[in-house]
Amino acid sequence: MAGNPDRRFVVVLGAARSGTSMLRDLIAAHPRIAAIPFDVNHIWRIGNDRRPDDAFAPGTATPAVARRIRDRLTGIARRNAGASWPQVRFVVEKTVGNALRPDFVEAVLPDALYVRITRDPRRVIGSTIDAWRAPPDTGHLRRKLRLFGPADLGYMGWYALNALSGRLGHKRGLHMWGARYPGIRADLETESLETVCARQWLSSVRTIDRFFADLPPERGISVNYEALVGGPEDLRRIWSFLGVDDDALAARVFSERVRASGNRQSALPEAIEGDTRRAVEALIAEYGYG
């Protein structure tokens, strides 16, 4: 990484609404770790901004594209870390679209480490449906603007248009929310929102599973949401994996910051049918949530 060749990225991979943001923030609670505190899909789309989905081929990460993405990510992390930047060893990044393009991420950040999170898909899908229907979070956008610069003006315009078209079009929150799997735009015209949310989850976890199957074990670690909110052990395990053990700090961070979601969705919505429902149900069993 520019300015410190020993500083490495840690990439959180998980389907949207799996606890990825909480996981990022917990990891970054260590003084040697800085965070990019928001999803920055517009940065990851540099060089692929005209694509209708988020599933980029690794070959599109040309040296120039990869350098621009790395520089933009590092700049946001540096501004967020402030005076503590010189002591930072790791930068943790979480953008849910990366669940659909981990090989592209690997081409951009070839020495990155990865933390994967899974969660009961019934609760993930239920939470995703709620997120699609929620009004735009203008406070969240304002917090982003404090770290963004002139290069991010295009994203700000896109966000405003996305919010407006969502309200005028399908009367939901944003026109497009979460990871954009190939075919999502057509599905939004013909399928129920529940089915689209299920397919977002399926596309994300299938891609991450394949990537982790080929990833050397020394470069990746997996956790699940239910264990993460159950005690500080998984945070200790992640920090140990990164070589920044601090058991006392992990216990304190857990007690101060972790609150389990109130989402108690225990069944898949009835609107999810056919092959999509069968695929989700098969993974519910495979992941041990049956």
Side-chain angles (χ1 to χ4, degrees):
M1 189 180 297
N4 184 348
D6 297 323
R7 192 178 288 131
R8 299 178 74 177
F9 279 95
V10 177
V11 178
V12 171
L13 291 177
R17 312 305 293 178
S18 294
T20 52
S21 295
M22 180 181 69
L23 176 58
R24 174 201 61 210
D25 294 344
L26 289 175
I27 294 171
H30 195 286
R32 304 301 299 275
I33 305 175
I36 297 168
F38 309 107
D39 282 42
V40 287
N41 199 41
H42 67 293
I43 292 176
W44 284 102
R45 291 183 67 84
I46 290 173
N48 285 283
D49 55 298
R50 295 186 180 277
R51 282 193 60 88
D53 57 63
D54 289 325
F56 309 155
T60 63
T62 65
V65 164
R67 183 171 58 254
R68 287 179 62 197
I69 294 173
R70 286 194 300 268
D71 288 349
R72 293 278 296 280
L73 295 176
T74 302
I76 291 177
R78 183 189 297 114
R79 290 192 291 275
N80 189 47
S84 65
W85 180 248
Q87 68 178 334
V88 167
R89 284 183 54 196
F90 296 98
V91 170
V92 60
E93 198 281 343
K94 186 281 297 188
T95 294
V96 294
N98 285 341
L100 299 180
R101 53 177 181 248
D103 292 317
F104 177 87
V105 174
E106 176 73 0
V108 173
L109 307 174
D111 63 342
L113 301 173
Y114 296 89
V115 183
R116 170 178 60 173
I117 184 168
T118 57
R119 185 184 183 189
D120 187 329
R122 292 164 292 198
R123 293 178 179 169
V124 174
I125 293 167
S127 182
T128 303
I129 294 166
D130 290 343
W132 271 92
R133 290 174 171 160
D137 186 347
T138 55
H140 181 71
L141 181 60
R142 285 195 299 271
R143 291 189 294 274
K144 277 188 173 186
L145 296 182
R146 297 191 187 109
L147 291 178
F148 285 178
D152 302 295
L153 287 173
Y155 166 77
M156 300 171 204
W158 175 87
Y159 186 92
L161 182 61
N162 191 33
L164 179 63
S165 59
R167 300 311 291 172
L168 296 180
H170 47 52
K171 309 300 182 186
R172 294 192 290 262
L174 297 173
H175 179 67
M176 182 67 67
W177 187 92
R180 296 175 241 182
Y181 62 85
I184 188 172
R185 295 178 187 274
D187 282 356
L188 283 168
E189 298 297 325
T190 61
E191 304 287 350
S192 68
L193 177 61
E194 291 83 355
T195 295
V196 169
C197 293
R199 290 178 181 176
Q200 284 183 302
W201 180 80
L202 281 167
S203 299
S204 296
V205 299
R206 284 169 166 168
T207 305
I208 295 169
D209 285 352
R210 177 197 54 74
F211 179 74
F212 256 71
D214 296 330
L215 187 70
E218 65 272 16
R219 293 190 56 208
I221 186 171
S222 297
V223 299
N224 67 63
Y225 174 88
E226 292 77 14
L228 187 66
V229 301
E233 291 76 15
D234 270 3
L235 179 57
R236 289 177 177 142
R237 189 163 61 92
I238 293 167
W239 282 352
S240 178
F241 170 72
L242 298 176
V244 291
D245 308 62
D246 193 327
D247 289 355
L249 178 60
R252 185 165 73 250
V253 167
F254 178 86
S255 67
E256 293 174 353
R257 301 193 184 192
V258 175
R259 300 291 182 274
S261 166
N263 179 352
R264 296 292 181 266
Q265 182 78 28
S266 60
L268 289 176
E270 292 298 323
I272 303 172
E273 300 175 329
D275 290 345
T276 300
R277 188 178 192 89
R278 285 188 288 273
V280 174
E281 289 175 339
L283 286 177
I284 287 174
E286 181 178 327
Y287 291 167
Y289 290 113

